Amino acid sequence: MFRFANPHFLWLLAVVPLFVALFFIALYGRKRRLARFGNPATLEELMSGVSMGSVVLKFVLFCGAWMLLAFVAARPQLGSRLREQKTQGVEMMLAVDVSNSMLAEDFEPNRLERTKYAVNKLFDGLQQDRVGLIVFAGEPKVQLPITSDYRMAKAFARRIDPSLVSVQGTDIGKALEQALLAFSGDADEPRSRVVILITDGEDHEGGALEVAERAKELGVRIYTVGIGTPEGAPIQIGGEFIKDEKGDMVVSKLDEATLSRIAEVTGGAYVRSSKHSIGLDEIVKSINEMEQTELSTVQFEEYDEQYQYLLLAAIILLMLDVLLINVFIKGYA
């Protein structure tokens, strides 16, 4: 694994364009000064000992040395030894509904945006658990495999959007099936695993309860979060409201009965979102009370410094720069 131990020093590279600008300003000033004494072409012939190529070369060497020294200060490193770290935690797979019904605006600004905000807050509060992310509509898609990298998880959560899934509709059963397959290791291996299903509950295909029974056999608890209101709200896409075949406005309503049964089968819990809280905090509190199992994470323990080679190259460039100093002085005399 490659990394920079001090990446903030890479900002030194931003100075290079300033050097280039100052160099061309200096060349322009020199040209104007020479023009005061006569025709520039004639003066160039009289100053045959001056080599503009040497001046440019000296500047290139200086810039090259500066860039190399910036990388040296940032300390490039390569991971050289792997270490398996043991922690106690839970594997948590989030299945987020991204069907068009999640664009209903009974939650501000809409159901999906409120969900994304809550998921980001959830990742902020985790410490030793592993998380994964599935988005689904008419078909599921693993957006993020199980990981302990919460920064990456938050980055993927921010990109949740209906366009991630090509088939619209809402198939909760397929989403739960994909969640069970997405856990790390052997599915029959005993460990603490949970699925958090966030949806408005409008299951168009059925089969979710059968998958919940399968999850129960595997020891996986399913927690369901119902987002929306029983009264429902119309769905607006591109400034236009979705209508059915009869021309009536489609109203998406929260189906709490299905979500409650799914959670009950697996020993999980159902939480109905409010306009003040999505409900993930309550679920995480319940998950933290579960029996946690040992999780292993492979990390790089030691890193080999790689800056020596860049430092040697920088020294060589500086030495060449010094050798051209006399030419440089003559070029600006």
Side-chain angles (χ1 to χ4, degrees):
M1 179 179 178
F2 179 81
R3 73 171 188 179
F4 288 105
N6 303 316
H8 51 279
F9 280 108
L10 294 176
W11 283 104
L12 293 172
L13 297 173
V15 184
V16 174
L18 177 61
F19 289 157
V20 174
L22 292 175
F23 178 72
F24 280 104
I25 291 173
L27 287 181
Y28 177 74
R30 174 182 179 272
K31 185 176 180 180
R32 289 190 62 184
R33 289 193 299 272
L34 288 176
R36 296 175 185 174
F37 298 98
N39 187 289
T42 304
L43 291 174
E44 289 291 342
E45 293 179 1
L46 294 175
M47 300 166 61
S48 57
V50 176
S51 172
M52 283 302 300
S54 297
V55 174
V56 174
L57 178 58
K58 175 179 171 56
F59 175 73
V60 171
L61 291 173
F62 170 78
C63 288
W66 178 275
M67 295 173 65
L68 288 172
L69 290 174
F71 285 115
V72 168
R75 291 178 56 197
Q77 298 176 331
L78 283 176
S80 59
R81 182 181 299 177
L82 294 175
R83 176 172 61 89
E84 188 176 40
Q85 182 179 8
K86 301 290 186 179
T87 59
Q88 294 290 323
V90 173
E91 286 194 352
M92 185 185 310
M93 181 62 67
L94 276 73
V96 179
D97 187 350
V98 294
S99 61
N100 287 333
S101 61
M102 291 290 286
L103 299 177
E105 298 177 357
D106 44 4
F107 280 66
E108 295 183 357
N110 60 48
R111 297 173 182 175
L112 187 57
E113 290 301 318
R114 282 293 305 277
T115 298
K116 290 163 64 174
Y117 174 76
V119 169
N120 268 288
K121 283 190 63 179
L122 167 67
F123 292 152
D124 281 334
L126 298 180
Q127 294 181 349
Q128 297 182 336
D129 300 314
R130 289 180 177 176
V131 294
L133 181 62
I134 289 175
V135 293
F136 72 94
E139 63 180 16
K141 178 181 178 182
V142 177
Q143 185 73 358
L144 177 70
I146 287 288
T147 180
S148 56
D149 188 341
Y150 301 138
R151 184 170 58 180
M152 181 184 297
K154 290 181 66 175
F156 276 91
R158 285 193 293 268
R159 292 199 290 267
I160 293 176
D161 187 82
S163 63
L164 294 174
V165 179
S166 58
V167 179
Q168 274 302 315
T170 306
D171 194 333
I172 295 177
K174 282 186 178 179
L176 294 177
E177 284 181 353
Q178 185 65 66
L180 296 180
L181 293 172
F183 286 113
S184 64
D186 190 343
D188 296 322
E189 181 183 346
R191 66 174 58 181
S192 298
R193 295 185 174 104
V194 299
V195 175
I196 300 178
L197 175 69
I198 306 176
T199 177
D200 52 28
E202 289 188 326
D203 189 9
H204 298 162
E205 303 299 332
L209 291 177
E210 289 79 358
V211 182
E213 291 287 353
R214 169 64 175 158
K216 179 183 178 181
E217 294 174 3
L218 296 173
V220 178
R221 293 187 187 183
I222 300 177
Y223 292 83
T224 55
V225 178
I227 181 166
T229 59
E231 302 79 26
I235 305 168
Q236 187 176 190
I237 300 178
E240 297 184 1
F241 291 100
I242 296 180
K243 297 181 180 181
D244 59 20
E245 296 176 353
K246 299 180 181 179
D248 297 326
M249 189 177 298
V250 175
V251 176
S252 173
K253 300 180 180 180
L254 173 64
D255 182 1
E256 296 188 277
T258 299
L259 299 180
S260 295
R261 288 197 296 270
I262 291 172
E264 184 180 357
V265 167
T266 64
Y270 166 70
V271 177
R272 176 180 169 183
S273 298
S274 69
K275 295 186 178 181
H276 303 289
S277 172
I278 293 295
L280 289 178
D281 293 338
E282 295 88 333
I283 288 178
V284 171
K285 183 178 179 181
S286 177
I287 290 174
N288 289 336
E289 295 173 356
M290 292 176 54
E291 179 182 356
Q292 299 184 345
T293 54
E294 186 176 74
L295 302 175
S296 61
T297 303
V298 176
Q299 296 181 337
F300 286 98
E301 186 179 41
E302 293 184 3
Y303 288 85
D304 286 335
E305 299 284 355
Q306 303 295 314
Y307 71 88
Q308 303 94 326
Y309 311 105
L310 298 177
L311 180 59
L312 177 60
I315 291 173
I316 293 174
L317 292 184
L318 290 173
M319 290 177 64
L320 292 173
D321 186 28
V322 171
L323 291 175
L324 290 172
I325 188 66
N326 292 329
V327 177
F328 178 79
I329 293 175
K330 291 178 181 178
Y332 279 88

